[in-house]
Amino acid sequence: MTQTAPTVTLVRGDITEQRADAIVNAANSSLLGGGGVDGAIHRKGGPEILAECRALRASHYGKGLPTGQAVATTAGRLGAEHVIHTVGPVHSTSEDRSALLASCYRESLRVAAELGARTVAFPAISTGIYGWPMGDGARIAVRTVREAAVAPVEEVRFVLFDDSAYAAFESALQSPA
Ligand code: ADP
């Protein structure tokens, strides 16, 4: 059977409010929480998420989760089954790190598929504290998801925090695949 790429949807909102099988956290390599999406997920999801992150650090990621990789924990009190933590690259003007940003989306979807998730919600990874320009971040996100065939994932939802992020993703979605 040929696999098809998931349907891509856009919503303006808060990732912590999403009902989805998995939501993706724009984590940092320590897995111990931070600002932005990361802070919001831990605040609202409760201590169970951090406890699993600490256990993952102890068992596998003593040096931190490498940039571009993804790992799953419980979603605690959130309206999702799983949180998938991925570490986006910090934007750089001297080096092209696009492949690492694409890897975050691809690896998160691979983990989601392993977990049997049908719906996956993503924030705009790296476009906050890590400084990635929104337009370029949106193009990389949309292109990578379009190229992914990751059954049983059927819906990829980008959850955009403000109007300009929504507009950037809308424009990326309208451009040819
Ligand atoms: P990074 O460190 O990967 O840049 P951030 O969490 O700082 O991650 O920001 C990633 C993007 O998520 C930014 O565009 C930011 O505006 C947005 N954002 C921040 N909080 C939320 C939230 N609660 N839900 C969805 N998006 C959010």
Side-chain angles (χ1 to χ4, degrees):
M1 200 178 76
T2 314
Q3 285 193 20
T4 49
T7 302
V8 178
T9 55
L10 306 183
V11 298
R12 199 182 143 184
D14 182 334
I15 191 101
T16 65
E17 303 284 339
Q18 300 302 306
R19 294 208 159 274
D21 294 326
I23 65 172
V24 176
N25 182 17
N28 63 54
S29 141
S30 78
L31 292 175
L32 298 179
V37 171
D38 205 6
I41 284 178
H42 284 288
R43 243 185 339 268
K44 208 154 181 178
E48 249 189 290
I49 302 176
L50 190 57
E52 283 195 21
C53 284
R54 284 189 197 283
L56 279 166
R57 254 181 82 92
S59 61
H60 289 85
Y61 302 109
K63 291 186 181 148
L65 179 65
T67 304
Q69 293 192 20
V71 71
T73 66
T74 174
R77 296 196 288 259
L78 297 174
E81 291 291 316
H82 312 279
V83 172
I84 298 172
H85 307 263
T86 190
V87 183
V90 175
H91 186 258
S92 161
T93 48
S94 59
E95 187 193 351
D96 182 5
R97 298 183 175 159
S98 310
L100 284 169
L101 184 55
S103 173
C104 288
Y105 289 99
R106 208 167 28 243
E107 285 299 299
S108 297
L109 286 173
R110 189 184 58 73
V111 171
E114 267 174 26
L115 294 165
R118 290 176 183 277
T119 52
V120 183
F122 278 97
I125 297 164
S126 286
T127 63
I129 298 159
Y130 284 0
W132 209 286
M134 187 59 79
D136 195 48
R139 278 189 293 276
I140 291 167
V142 167
R143 189 176 62 223
T144 306
V145 167
R146 273 180 171 157
E147 285 169 359
V150 279
V153 180
E154 292 166 355
E155 183 200 345
V156 170
R157 188 185 313 152
F158 290 111
V159 183
L160 292 327
F161 212 39
D162 58 32
D163 287 339
S164 66
Y166 189 94
F169 273 74
E170 210 172 26
S171 153
L173 212 52
Q174 278 160 8
S175 59

